[in-house]
Amino acid sequence: MGFSAAKCYDIEIWAPGLGRWLEVSSVSNFEDFQAAGQHPLRDVSGKVKFVHTLNGSGVALARLIAVILETYQNADGSVTIPVALRSYMGGLERIEKP
């Protein structure tokens, strides 16, 4: 976590092939540290306040796909699509080995 971040959340997934956790995304709340002096606002009482800033990385897609393939691969080489992802795959339940 950077010196200015008030909170930081890392999202990690278990990589069976590596036997360790991998970070796939991170989100930090800097409260008003980065915005002080740049984006002053006045509340209804006239008191000056500063906006809070967030920093969020995208998902490390290559890591995520590799872990899904490792975790859900079957002995015959096919991959079972996790239930939570099937609606994004047009209802497909398995990816068959060609």
Side-chain angles (χ1 to χ4, degrees):
M1 184 163 75
F3 77 96
S4 59
K7 294 178 185 174
C8 183
Y9 298 96
D10 292 331
I11 300 170
E12 297 183 339
I13 54 176
W14 178 253
L18 297 174
R20 65 187 177 103
W21 291 93
L22 298 176
E23 182 180 314
V24 292
S25 189
S26 182
V27 177
S28 300
N29 179 349
F30 290 89
E31 294 187 346
D32 63 1
F33 179 84
Q34 291 179 324
Q38 297 176 24
H39 305 288
L41 300 173
R42 294 196 185 275
D43 65 13
V44 292
S45 69
K47 184 177 178 183
V48 174
K49 294 188 173 185
F50 298 97
V51 297
H52 287 203
T53 57
L54 302 173
N55 178 34
S57 66
V59 174
L61 190 60
R63 286 183 177 182
L64 184 60
I65 296 297
V67 168
I68 289 171
L69 293 175
E70 285 181 345
T71 303
Y72 293 96
Q73 187 173 21
N74 303 305
D76 65 358
S78 66
V79 176
T80 301
I81 305 296
V83 174
L85 299 178
R86 289 181 186 167
S87 64
Y88 300 103
M89 299 290 291
L92 189 66
E93 294 183 11
R94 288 171 67 105
I95 299 172
E96 300 294 332
K97 186 176 176 184

